[in-house]
Amino acid sequence: MRVGVPKEIKDHEYRVGLTPESVHELTAHGHEVFVQSGAGLGIGASDAAYEAEGAQVLASAEEVFERAEMIVKVKEPQASERKMLRPDHLLFTYLHLAPDPEQTKDLVESGAVCIAYETVRDGQGRLPLLAPMSQVAGRLSIQAGATALQKANGGKGVLLGGVPGVAPANVVVIGGGVVGSHAIEMALGLGADVQVLDRNLSVLDQLSARFGASLKTVYASRAALEQAVRKADLVVGAVLVAGAAAPKLVSAELVKEMTAGSVLVDVAIDQGGCFETSHATTHTDPTYLVDDVVHYCVANMPGAVPRTSTYALNNATLPYVLALADKGYKAALLETPGFLPGLNVFKGKVCEREVAENLGYDYVSPEDALQ
């Protein structure tokens, strides 16, 4: 198969779809790989590094899309990239379609086969291609929140871990999954006073066993959530409904009741955000104020640490990329456990139920679409 890797063009997005080491695996399997010049510079991988592993380096994204059958990316294709998609293309990347009607429309009209990292599952029903970026984003959420709490950045001027004789910051994590657990680990490591809210008692039990008495676990009733948010210095939104838009758990009215200079970090922003006052921001302009509360809502947080993120992502995606290239998409999707739910758009049909329901498309199951 001919595999193409364009350079990412989202604001301050330095990750890349394939590392040179992943290219080596593909070329060893007999596949051709086309990499746009400069695609790997953000992770310290030169064009020569890709060429040494058997890739052909092309000058432009247009050439990569023209030559390739499968496009492997990191972020959802931007408008200019979607115009280059053809019915014979296979696209494998993060899509996050539920809150993005324009992208969904373009992918449907392209006729391409579009597989989303974030809805692929493993044999245990977990999200193996979302997990590595959730780990990175969870850890970054605390770094970003700690920075935003500084007075010069609009925050209330609180040091996350405090100092002897001065209380630490009060950190609230909403959601105890992969993002939440990594945010908790970082916040506790910095000495913050941390509580997590979740509605899954099993999750709370696991987190309590992992972190001990230093972590306060709270069942996420509406009253408990509102009380926690009002008192928080930093709130991390770490909720996920796979494939669907994130639920709005913190209302605009509740934001008004927070202390001036408090910080909200919305890690769910790729799926529309879990705070009512959230809208996507960029690494260039990451924060804004609503009712004197700092909002950090960068839609590609892991792009801030592209080398770590790209290698972590490739560790997870490479087996699926190889399956697609070796077997073709139909056999790969049907034979690889948990891969089929990754099929979001298939030749003009929407195959992800939550996306279809959110955006008003007829839903066609992945099984029926492939038949």
Side-chain angles (χ1 to χ4, degrees):
M1 185 178 283
R2 300 188 304 278
V3 181
V5 183
K7 184 177 181 178
E8 298 291 328
I9 59 173
K10 195 161 185 169
D11 181 72
H12 282 273
E13 181 53 74
Y14 302 109
R15 290 173 289 179
V16 61
L18 295 174
T19 64
E21 292 84 353
S22 294
V23 169
H24 180 93
E25 293 287 337
L26 282 162
T27 56
H29 282 236
H31 304 294
E32 293 183 86
V33 182
F34 304 98
V35 177
Q36 184 181 350
S37 180
L41 293 180
I43 67 166
S46 65
D47 291 350
Y50 282 101
E51 289 175 328
E53 303 299 350
Q56 297 180 49
V57 174
L58 303 178
S60 66
E62 288 80 5
E63 291 176 87
V64 171
F65 276 79
E66 179 63 31
R67 300 281 294 275
E69 298 168 89
M70 174 164 60
I71 303 295
V72 179
K73 283 177 44 62
V74 178
K75 289 306 294 176
E76 71 278 0
Q78 304 301 290
S80 62
E81 296 172 310
R82 299 195 295 267
K83 291 178 181 178
M84 295 185 279
L85 285 171
R86 305 187 306 265
D88 60 332
H89 271 143
L90 169 62
L91 174 66
F92 192 33
T93 188
Y94 287 115
L95 293 177
H96 301 292
L97 293 178
D100 194 343
E102 291 184 6
Q103 184 195 178
T104 304
K105 178 177 180 289
D106 288 348
L107 295 186
V108 167
E109 292 180 351
S110 75
V113 177
C114 306
I115 303 172
Y117 293 159
E118 72 272 9
T119 58
V120 173
R121 297 186 178 272
D122 62 16
Q124 289 74 50
R126 297 170 300 194
L127 303 169
L129 306 189
L130 188 62
M133 295 304 92
S134 296
Q135 294 166 354
V136 172
R139 290 169 180 256
L140 279 175
S141 70
I142 301 303
Q143 291 185 199
T147 300
L149 275 171
Q150 295 174 21
K151 191 68 174 178
N153 298 322
K156 59 174 61 175
V158 173
L159 182 64
L160 209 64
V163 293
V166 180
N170 181 4
V171 176
V172 172
V173 179
I174 305 175
V178 177
V179 170
S181 63
H182 282 263
I184 290 163
E185 184 174 358
M186 288 291 287
L188 288 174
L190 289 172
D193 185 5
V194 185
Q195 62 178 310
V196 60
L197 294 99
D198 201 291
R199 290 198 169 191
N200 187 324
L201 294 178
S202 177
V203 167
L204 294 178
D205 185 57
Q206 292 169 16
L207 291 171
S208 181
R210 176 177 172 183
F211 294 109
S214 57
L215 173 66
K216 301 175 181 67
T217 58
V218 179
Y219 180 78
S221 67
R222 180 158 297 278
L225 187 146
E226 291 175 356
Q227 182 180 27
V229 169
R230 287 189 192 101
K231 296 179 179 179
D233 297 307
L234 167 61
V235 180
V236 176
V239 297
L240 172 72
V241 180
K248 303 296 185 186
L249 299 179
V250 175
S251 68
E253 288 301 313
L254 184 55
V255 171
K256 289 180 181 179
E257 298 178 32
M258 297 177 69
T259 307
S262 300
V263 175
L264 296 174
V265 177
D266 198 339
V267 187
I269 194 64
D270 273 323
Q271 294 293 121
C274 61
F275 309 135
E276 193 174 25
T277 47
S278 291
H279 64 75
T281 61
T282 67
H283 288 291
T284 298
D285 189 15
T287 64
Y288 60 93
L289 289 174
V290 175
D291 295 315
D292 294 320
V293 174
V294 183
H295 290 59
Y296 180 98
C297 304
V298 174
N300 57 328
M301 286 179 64
V305 286
R307 185 170 176 84
T308 297
S309 298
T310 296
Y311 277 91
L313 181 60
N314 270 233
N315 290 342
T317 58
L318 181 59
Y320 294 90
V321 173
L322 287 171
L324 290 168
D326 289 345
K327 300 178 180 180
Y329 67 81
K330 185 172 184 179
L333 287 166
L334 292 173
E335 295 173 9
T336 307
F339 202 3
L340 194 56
L343 185 62
N344 278 208
V345 177
F346 180 84
K347 297 188 179 300
K349 302 179 180 68
V350 175
C351 303
E352 169 57 50
R353 186 181 299 277
E354 286 79 7
V355 174
E357 291 176 353
N358 272 30
L359 301 180
Y361 289 90
D362 292 332
Y363 169 69
V364 179
S365 73
E367 295 88 349
D368 288 345
L370 290 178
Q371 289 176 2

